[in-house]
Structure formats: C-alpha cells, structure tokens
Amino acid sequence: MGYDTKNIRNVVLLGHPGSGKTTLAECMLFEAGEISRRGSSTEGNTVSDYTNIEKERGNSIFASLMHASWKDSKINIVDTPGYDDFVGEVICSLKVADTGIMLLNARSGVEVGTELIWEYIERFSTPALFVVNQLDHEKADFESTLEQARERFGNKVLPVQYPLNAGDGFNTIVDALRMTLYVFSEDGGKPEKKQIPPEEMDRAMEMHNALVEAAAENDEGLMEKFFDAGTLSEEELTEGLRIAIANQEIFPVFCCAAESNMGSGRIMGFVNDVCPSPADRPPASLADGSELVCSVDGDTTIFIYKTISEPRVGNVSYFKVYSGVLQGGDELENASNSQTERFSQLFLANGKDRSSIDEVRAGDLGVTLKLKDSHTNQSLNTKGNGRQIEPMHFPESRIRVAIEPPGKAEMEKLMKSLHIIEEEDPTLQVEQSATLKQTLLHGQGQLHLDLIKYRIQKVNGIEMNFIRPRIAYRETITGVSNTSYRHKKQSGGSGQFAEVHMRVEPYHEDMPDPDGLTVRKREVEDLPWGGKLSFYWCIVGGSIDSKYANAIKKGILQRMEEGPLTGSPCQDIRVSVYDGKMHSVDSNDTAFMIAARMAIRDSFKEASPQILEPIYDVQILCDAEVMGDIMGDLQTRRAMIAGMDSVGHYQRISAKVPQSEMFQYSSTLRSLSQGRAKFTRKFSEFNAVPYDIQEKLMADYHEEEVEA
Ligand SMILES: Nc1nc2c(ncn2[C@@H]2O[C@H](COP(=O)(O)OP(=O)(O)OP(=O)(O)O)[C@@H](O)[C@H]2O)c(=O)[nH]1
Ligand SMILES: [Mg+2]
C-alpha cells in the first residue's frame, strides 16, 4: 500500500556549499529511526553522499532521494549539492519538491550560493523555510544571519525560534510558536521541554505575536477571530501558518546544529504539521498550457525528474506521480515517443538503498529500473492520455572545453561513456562540431567538467584530456567589390566553360537595389551557421541562362562554408550576378558552380573582409569586497561593462565579453573571489575583432594551411 497524498511531504534541502544539508539529512533519518548511526560527510559514510566521488571529495555532487516517516507523514528528503556547478541537480529537485528547506550557515550568513538558489525558489514558487545551522560553531551569529536573511528576502522571513546560547556549548533553543524552551543533552536528539525563562518572555512573546498576526493576515475568518479574541487557538494558528506558507507569505526560520544533532526533530514536526502536501500545491502546469490537479483519482501521470546509470543495473529512473496511482506491473505510455513501458518493479530510495513497494500514489516520489526508452523530462501516462508535464529548463552552459582526440577505437568508447553521462546530466552537452573540427563539452563550471573527466578516467578507465576549444569565428565583408571569373577546361572531348561576373556587398535588411543593375530575382537565404546570403539575379540579355542560377548559388554557398581569412563560415553578404558568358556545348552546372566558387573567393578578399567573433552577455554576482579585482580582470579580457547594480549584499556586474577571452573563466573567478562570486553567460552576438587580432588570426590560419 502506498502513502496517501495528504500524508506526503516532498522537501528539498538547499544552501551554499558546506552549510550542512547532508549532515541535516543524516540527522533527519537518524531521528526518524531510518538509520541507527549518523554518518558524516567528511568521513564519507552518509546515506546521501553515497557515490565514490562524493565520498572522496567530502561533499555532494548529485541530488539524492531519501525518505523518513515522521508522525503521520512520509517525508521525502532530496539533498542537493550546494556548488553552483551542479545547479542542474537543484533544478530537478525543486521541480518535484513542495517545500524548500534553505540552510543558512550561522558562521557566514547569507552567502552567494544562497542568493542564487533563492532565484530558483522564486522561479518555482516553492514554499520555503530557513534553517540557521551550525549554531554550535564558535563563530555562530544567529542575529546577524537572521538580519541578513530579512534584509535580502524581506519581512516575510519570520523567526519561529532563536538560540539562547549559540556558539561553543550550544544546547538551548527558544521556540516562539510552541512557547517552549528546548534543552538538548550533549548527544542532541530529543530535547527536554522546559518553560521559557522570565527574562526571555518579552522577546519570545513578541516573536509569537508576529507569527500569530502573519498567520491571521492570510485568512479573513482567522483575521476576524484574531481581532475579537486578540489571539488564535493552536489549531487556528497552525491552519493560518499552513495557508501562509503554502502561498509563500511566510518563510519561517528554525535553529539547528546538525553536527550535534540538535533541532532536526522540530523541523520534521513542522513539515508534518504545517508544510503543504502535494495536494495543497497549485495544480501542475502541462506543456499544452492546461493544468493537472494532484489526486489519486483518474488516469495515472508520472514525470521522470532524474535518471542515473548504475553499473550492472543500467538506467535508474526517479519519478514523481502527478496523478493517479502507479502499481507494480502497470504499463504506461511515454507522451514524447509513444513507447509503452512496463513498471515491473517500484522502489522507495534511501540514497543507494532501494526497497520494493507495490504502488506509488499521486504526489509521491518513486524509483524504477530498466525503462526502455524513457528519459529525464518525459511524462508517461495511462495509455491514450498524452499529458506532458511542463518540462524543466536548464541554464545555458558557462564553460566549454575541447577533448584532445584519442585514437579511433578510444574515441568510440569515450563517446559512448560521455553519452551515458549526458543522459544523466541535463547540464552537460557533448557536441561534435564539424565547423570547429573538435569534440566539445559544454558545462556549468570547471569543477563540473573536471568531475566528468575524473569519472571517465576512473570509472570507465578511458584517458581523456582537455584542450583549448577553437572559437567559432565568422567572416563577412565591409566594402563592395566587382569581380569576374572564367572557368575553362579542355580535356579531350567535351570541355568545361563558365564565366561569372558578380558584385558583393555587406548585407543588411531593407537595403536598396544595387546601383546600376536591373534585378530580375531576389532571394534571401538563412545560412545554417547563422546570418544571411542574399542572392540577386541581374542578368540582362541572356548572357547566362537562368537555369544556371541555382548552380551559381550553390557554388557561392559552398565557398561561404569556409571563408578565405580563417576558414570560418561567412555571413551577411549580398551577391548580385550581373554578367557572364556561356558556351552552348561546354557549359553545365558543374562549370558554373566552380566559376562561382572562385569568383566569390576573389571578390570577398577585395571587399574589405572582416573576422567576427562571438560575444557573450556575462552576469557576475559577487561580494562587494572582491568587485574591484573582478572588474580589473574583466578589463584585461576586452570586456565592455554594460552595468552594475546591487542585489542584497551582493554586487551584480553585466558585461559583454568575447568568447575567446572566457577560457577557464570559471576557475579564475573562483580564485579571484575565493568562491564569493558566480557568473552566468549567454551568447549575445557576433562583433568585429580588432585589427591586430584579425591580423594574427589570419597569420595563424595561413601557417596551419601551409603545414597541412
Ligand atoms: N560545527 C558544525 N559543523 C557542521 C554542522 N553541520 C555541518 N557541519 C560541518 O560542515 C561541513 C559540511 O557539511 P555538509 O553537511 O557536508 O554540507 P553540505 O551543505 O551538504 O555541503 P555540499 O554538499 O557541498 O553542498 C562538514 O564538515 C560538517 O561536519 C553544524 O551544525 N555544526
Ligand atoms: Mg551535501
């Protein structure tokens, strides 16, 4: 028998690296009796960080699913990695979570990781609570952490608790919701409940009243009762808080020292009593714009939010049931590819451990194995129902590297392993670029790609080295030229003859017709690599038969694939063919194609050619103290600063930076800022490279050509 929707709580642990998410997950499992001993992430024996790579590094890299029973609830706990390089794991976890638990490190307050994750909480409209962790640390400062959180995330951040003795020897929490003092023994666990001492009463009451007021504010009935009686009963208070949290009107703050196992029980109690079940959340959005209410009634719909590949097992699919009930042995149809999949085995997961279960009901998270052709971001339904849960969107890549080509046999093995990782990790893209003649990896940061390299080498036993990726330059022209080319070949019997005269000009929209030419036909073609070729047929008097127009255009396009300056694709030119010659026997398509190819090469060179380089919009979020260094570094990268503003405690820099100057930027930024800065980037446009760089690129290309 599965768990009822109303008793399910899907929580996701979020926060800056090292705030204590994995340690808190361990406490939750221990307090709920799921494990008999608490592991530690530094020792590499936690339930959550179970992969070898996580054990070795001592921090989380993958989101992992756990669960614990607490009072009436089955709490599904998803522990996420804090490093921004693994943001994909945060996105897939938030997609299926109904409550976010954001950890703040009492030693450092709101950190840059907190800021970034908050953006996702807002994007997903996830109800959330804060946990100020590490209150047992000698440098813990609850007041300042709370103040920073309120300053940054607003007055909806309301403390439920405060510590009486944060720092070394911490063991006491005042709970202003229950109006109780919690005193922990040295081993933590279940605290002793005591009365709040008289000298703390004023502060506790003030906090209590703020909570009561906030709870009443969101419900008219409760508001009236509050005005009449001046307070609310415990049930009314819980109900008011439930509504306020579900609507993201309150973000309550709890106290914790996960390392000492203090505070997790109260958090789970609150999740059970107050946090929303999947049925209390707004209906899920479907790809077609309609909505789906979470209920066990009706057709079954599930969504795969994560896939991992396990040795000897194959694909392990993590899913959420959005509607209906999924029973072991059921068959569902994949809405993306109509594949029928049989769910022969269903599991609950606690890290790497799985236990069989016969059904998973609406709202719950489950695991299955051996799906044939179903992948992350796909929905499966009762046959005939094609519902598609709105897919997840992952951020643009921030870093790319090229792979040093190994031997042919190794390359095949390497690509196979990379595709398995790509299936698991939606923030990794493997690209075999024909234009750059390189295999590229696009990812979220140096650490992200380094860990992929590590996996390939260690797990798959394949040597893989990164090299500097080539830049996808483009070529265009800035001037006008008129050229002609005669192709003539006499070999034995029939020969080849074609002569083409053309004018080339820089293309832009709405340009007037070419001066002095009579235009018979205008074509504008979108080029596969971006930009346009505008092709005008301006032959008068039949010097070239119009049946050769296509062959001429084809010749031009062929040559444009490999520009004359650096061999990069050409774009945004207008070619007007205005004269030429043909021969009644020796002219044919091939001859005109060749003539056009040569003519365009010559005219391009004479029309003030220009190399264009890709420019990225880069946004950096950083601590004010490291801003100067970051700006100084940007200046050495030919960056154009587009703006600066502040976001909470952080500064945001927007800049346009050439891609060629972004190599290894993620590592540079990390070391410049000691981890207190993050960036995103997005392709913006192609811009002309400066003269000296153009000269150098052309010289390098020429050298390569000579060597080849
Ligand atoms: N003093 C103290 N140390 C803590 C506490 N919670 C966690 N730590 C320590 O902080 C370090 C990081 O803890 P983790 O639980 O791995 O942190 P995390 O948030 O999971 O980190 P990532 O997985 O990298 O995002 C470990 O050395 C923990 O022992 C706490 O409450 N007090
Ligand atoms: Mg962790």
Side-chain angles (χ1 to χ4, degrees), residues 588-601:
N588 53 32
D589 277 355
T590 313
F592 272 104
M593 224 152 73
I594 294 170
R597 235 169 23 216
M598 302 311 277
I600 188 78
R601 183 199 60 181

Side-chain angles (χ1 to χ4, degrees), residues 133-189:
N133 188 36
Q134 311 221 9
L135 285 167
D136 56 349
H137 194 276
E138 55 178 11
K139 294 215 175 94
D141 187 342
F142 177 80
E143 316 305 333
S144 136
T145 303
L146 177 66
E147 196 184 301
Q148 286 178 29
R150 285 177 66 95
E151 206 175 288
R152 174 60 189 95
F153 309 120
N155 292 336
K156 292 177 178 176
V157 176
L158 278 181
V160 168
Q161 304 181 321
Y162 64 92
L164 259 200
N165 55 348
D168 252 350
F170 165 74
N171 71 343
T172 310
I173 296 172
V174 175
D175 191 301
L177 192 58
R178 292 251 170 91
M179 287 305 283
T180 303
L181 189 76
Y182 294 130
V183 182
F184 294 88
S185 71
E186 213 168 291
D187 299 333

Side-chain angles (χ1 to χ4, degrees), residues 222-235:
L222 290 178
M223 198 66 185
E224 265 175 42
K225 281 186 185 164
F226 177 63
F227 274 130
D228 288 348
T231 187
L232 296 177
S233 70
E234 198 169 327
E235 294 85 74

Side-chain angles (χ1 to χ4, degrees), residues 668-694:
T668 309
L669 189 65
R670 179 157 287 159
S671 61
L672 271 179
S673 67
Q674 301 93 46
R676 288 181 296 161
K678 306 279 167 182
F679 81 106
T680 56
R681 64 168 211 185
K682 197 170 181 303
F683 172 74
S684 165
E685 70 232 337
F686 280 101
N687 267 353
V689 302
Y691 177 78
D692 54 328
I693 294 182
Q694 170 144 333

Side-chain angles (χ1 to χ4, degrees), residues 287-337:
D288 65 5
S290 60
E291 293 183 329
L292 178 62
V293 174
C294 181
S295 153
V296 289
D297 301 326
D299 283 355
T300 303
T301 296
I302 72 156
F303 175 78
I304 301 176
Y305 69 92
K306 186 176 164 62
T307 309
I308 60 170
S309 165
E310 268 182 24
R312 290 181 296 280
V313 175
N315 277 0
V316 181
S317 309
Y318 290 77
F319 61 86
K320 181 174 189 177
V321 178
Y322 276 80
S323 162
V325 178
L326 178 63
Q327 289 182 319
D330 276 357
E331 287 190 346
L332 296 183
E333 189 177 38
N334 185 315
S336 306
N337 57 19

